[in-house]
Amino acid sequence: MSTVKMEIRSIACDLKNAFGWLHTAAMAIKIAMMLAMCVAHAGCEKKDQGQAASDAPPPNVEYITVMPSTIPIQYEFVGMTEPSKVIEIRARVSGFLIARGFEEGKSIVAGDPLFQIDPRPYEANLEIVRSRQDQAKSRLLLAQLEADRFAEAAAKGAAAQRELDRTQTELAEAKSSVRLADANVAKAELDLSYTEIKSPVTGVIGRTLQDEGSYLDAGPQSLLAEAMQIDPIYVVFAISERDWLKWRDDVASGTILGDKDNPPVKVKLLDGTTYSETGRMTFFDTRVDSRTGAASARASFANPKGELKPGQFVKVQIVGWQRPNSIVIPVRAVLQNPMGSIVMIVDASNIVQTRPVTLGQWHGDGWLILNGLKAGDRVVTDGFMHAQPGMKVALTPATALETTQVESTRTKSTPVKGSSK
């Protein structure tokens, strides 16, 4: 009986295992069918998406058409103002300083009295030499009369030749004495005039170095003050050898046009305001300083109101130059990649292409392009996220505002930064 039960259990286990295998196989077939359906569905969806993409319109970009034009160019350096004349006011005669005729740090006019040295000793000396002058003239008159008398007598044989020679000699000595007396009078008058010290220039004067009551001499301690002429006023700056060579080559090649001898100059003050007067470059040194690698230059400005003071730091802008056939594009049209600066252009088939460019100076609201673009090129200014190289695009001219900004750059000066030292 027990043997029969064991056989029945063995048959049941075999049937169970057989049905388990059949269940597993059925599940595997079901999963395979589901995967096949998913793959088929994905293929259909991708095909539908590709079809939709091919039917979509090309992306839209904004562009400008390159138009070369003549633009103004300016060169910018750092400079300092200095007076056109600096004159030391010194005592030329000795004496006590008794008066000062100006306010320190104020304006002065040529001929204004500045200092007064006690004139009384010099007035007395002038009277002395004038008296001696009168004596010499009296002796000359007497010598002349005696010489004439002896000459007349000698002509009649009534006077010896020796007496005639004596009177002629005395006449010559009297004339010399008069000339000496005249010179002494002139010197005394000159010394007296030196006691009143007048301004030699129109400008400003600094502080007084000697007070009233001080004794002055004509030696090393004779300095009284310093006067400066500030109309016109000079602005000095340095032009590096590199900038000068570049400017010379550009002028020689016709890249830039302008006044080579005395170009106009503007200055900008530290607060950003531009000085109202336009100056002229009047000096450029004939040699380059070996210590700095730069040559000194100077511009002259009218300064009638004294708005510019010596010692101010200013930005010097050499203006009046023009660059013909120049290409300027908006700043945002220029992209950067590891190879350098590029722009996107659209060809005749409305296909986007990249173009490497060489940038010049910042000009107004755009970049000056030295190489890489030509007249008629269509440059993308907006829509870069949707347009890739090789894609066909739809074109829209740049907005009126942006076009106006680009046009305005043709009337603004390009500041060329100078490496002045």
Coordinates of all heavy atoms in Angstrom, one line a residue, residues 56 58 83 101 123 127 142 184-185 192 217 239 243-244 271 288 300-301 311 318 324 326 351 360 379 400 406:
A56 N 8.4 70.9 -41.2 CA 8.4 72.1 -40.5 C 9.1 73.2 -41.3 O 10.0 72.9 -42.1 CB 9.2 71.9 -39.2
P58 N 11.7 76.4 -42.1 CA 13.1 76.7 -41.7 C 13.0 77.8 -40.6 O 12.1 78.6 -40.5 CB 13.8 77.2 -42.9 CG 12.7 77.7 -43.8 CD 11.5 76.8 -43.5
P83 N 51.8 124.8 -18.3 CA 51.8 126.1 -18.9 C 52.6 126.3 -20.1 O 53.6 125.6 -20.3 CB 52.3 127.0 -17.7 CG 53.1 126.0 -16.9 CD 52.5 124.7 -17.0
G101 N 52.2 143.7 -4.9 CA 51.0 144.3 -5.6 C 50.1 143.2 -6.2 O 49.4 143.5 -7.2
E123 N 67.2 156.4 -6.7 CA 66.9 157.8 -7.2 C 68.0 158.7 -6.8 O 68.4 159.6 -7.7 CB 65.6 158.2 -6.4 CG 64.4 157.4 -6.9 CD 63.2 157.7 -6.1 OE1 63.3 158.3 -5.0 OE2 62.0 157.4 -6.5
E127 N 70.5 161.0 -9.5 CA 70.7 162.4 -9.4 C 72.2 162.7 -9.5 O 72.7 163.6 -10.1 CB 70.1 163.0 -8.2 CG 68.6 163.1 -8.2 CD 68.1 163.9 -9.3 OE1 68.7 165.0 -9.6 OE2 67.1 163.5 -10.0
L142 N 83.3 173.7 -23.3 CA 84.5 174.5 -23.2 C 85.7 174.0 -24.1 O 86.3 174.8 -24.8 CB 85.0 174.5 -21.7 CG 86.3 175.4 -21.4 CD1 86.1 176.8 -21.8 CD2 86.7 175.2 -20.0
N184 N 76.5 156.1 -17.5 CA 76.2 156.0 -16.1 C 74.8 156.4 -15.8 O 74.1 155.8 -14.9 CB 77.2 156.9 -15.3 CG 78.6 156.2 -15.2 OD1 78.7 155.0 -15.3 ND2 79.6 157.1 -15.1
V185 N 74.3 157.4 -16.5 CA 72.9 157.8 -16.3 C 72.0 156.7 -16.8 O 71.0 156.4 -16.1 CB 72.6 159.1 -17.1 CG1 71.1 159.4 -17.1 CG2 73.4 160.3 -16.4
L192 N 67.1 151.9 -11.3 CA 65.9 152.4 -10.7 C 64.6 151.8 -11.2 O 63.7 151.5 -10.4 CB 65.8 154.0 -10.9 CG 64.6 154.7 -10.3 CD1 64.6 154.5 -8.8 CD2 64.6 156.1 -10.7
D217 N 68.8 140.6 -2.8 CA 70.0 140.8 -3.6 C 69.8 140.2 -4.9 O 68.8 139.5 -5.2 CB 71.3 140.3 -2.9 CG 71.2 138.8 -2.6 OD1 70.6 138.1 -3.5 OD2 71.8 138.3 -1.6
I239 N 53.7 109.1 -27.2 CA 53.2 108.1 -28.2 C 54.2 107.0 -28.3 O 55.4 107.3 -28.6 CB 53.0 108.8 -29.5 CG1 52.0 110.0 -29.4 CG2 52.6 107.8 -30.6 CD1 51.8 110.7 -30.7
D243 N 52.8 102.4 -31.6 CA 51.6 103.2 -32.1 C 52.1 104.1 -33.3 O 51.3 104.3 -34.3 CB 51.0 104.0 -31.0 CG 50.3 103.2 -30.0 OD1 49.9 102.0 -30.3 OD2 50.2 103.6 -28.9
W244 N 53.2 104.7 -33.1 CA 53.7 105.6 -34.2 C 54.0 104.9 -35.5 O 53.6 105.4 -36.6 CB 55.0 106.3 -33.7 CG 55.6 107.2 -34.8 CD1 55.1 108.3 -35.3 CD2 56.8 106.9 -35.4 NE1 56.0 108.8 -36.3 CE2 57.0 107.9 -36.4 CE3 57.8 105.9 -35.3 CZ2 58.2 108.0 -37.2 CZ3 58.9 105.9 -36.2 CH2 59.1 106.9 -37.1
D271 N 36.4 114.0 -15.0 CA 34.9 113.8 -14.7 C 34.2 113.3 -15.9 O 32.9 113.2 -15.9 CB 34.3 115.1 -14.1 CG 34.4 116.2 -15.0 OD1 35.0 116.1 -16.2 OD2 33.9 117.3 -14.7
V288 N 63.0 108.9 -30.0 CA 62.3 108.0 -29.0 C 63.1 107.8 -27.8 O 64.3 107.5 -27.9 CB 61.9 106.6 -29.7 CG1 61.3 105.7 -28.7 CG2 61.1 106.8 -30.9
S300 N 48.5 122.3 -28.3 CA 48.3 123.6 -27.7 C 46.8 123.9 -27.8 O 46.1 123.7 -28.8 CB 49.1 124.7 -28.5 OG 48.8 126.0 -28.0
F301 N 46.3 124.5 -26.7 CA 44.8 124.8 -26.5 C 44.6 126.2 -26.1 O 45.4 126.7 -25.2 CB 44.1 123.9 -25.5 CG 44.0 122.5 -26.0 CD1 45.0 121.6 -25.8 CD2 42.8 122.0 -26.5 CE1 44.9 120.3 -26.2 CE2 42.6 120.7 -26.9 CZ 43.7 119.8 -26.7
G311 N 49.1 120.8 -14.6 CA 49.2 119.6 -13.7 C 48.0 118.7 -13.8 O 48.0 117.7 -13.1
I318 N 43.3 112.5 -30.4 CA 43.7 113.1 -31.7 C 42.6 112.7 -32.7 O 42.3 111.6 -33.0 CB 45.0 112.6 -32.2 CG1 46.1 112.9 -31.2 CG2 45.4 113.2 -33.6 CD1 47.5 112.3 -31.5
P324 N 38.4 105.1 -44.8 CA 37.5 104.7 -45.9 C 37.3 103.2 -46.0 O 38.2 102.4 -45.6 CB 38.2 105.4 -47.1 CG 39.6 105.4 -46.8 CD 39.7 105.6 -45.3
S326 N 35.4 101.0 -44.6 CA 35.4 100.3 -43.4 C 34.1 99.5 -43.2 O 33.0 100.0 -43.6 CB 35.6 101.2 -42.2 OG 36.9 101.8 -42.3
I351 N 21.6 79.3 -46.8 CA 22.2 78.3 -46.0 C 23.2 79.0 -45.1 O 24.0 79.9 -45.5 CB 23.0 77.3 -46.8 CG1 22.0 76.6 -47.8 CG2 23.6 76.2 -45.9 CD1 20.9 75.8 -47.1
G360 N 39.0 94.7 -35.4 CA 39.7 95.9 -35.2 C 39.4 96.5 -33.9 O 39.2 95.8 -32.9
V379 N 25.0 89.0 -42.7 CA 25.5 88.6 -41.4 C 24.3 88.4 -40.4 O 23.5 89.3 -40.2 CB 26.5 89.6 -40.8 CG1 27.0 89.2 -39.4 CG2 27.7 89.8 -41.7
A400 N 14.6 98.0 -36.8 CA 15.0 99.4 -37.2 C 15.9 100.0 -36.2 O 16.8 100.7 -36.5 CB 13.7 100.2 -37.3
V406 N 23.7 100.6 -35.9 CA 24.8 100.3 -36.8 C 25.2 101.5 -37.7 O 26.3 101.9 -37.9 CB 24.5 99.1 -37.7 CG1 25.6 98.9 -38.7 CG2 24.3 97.9 -36.8

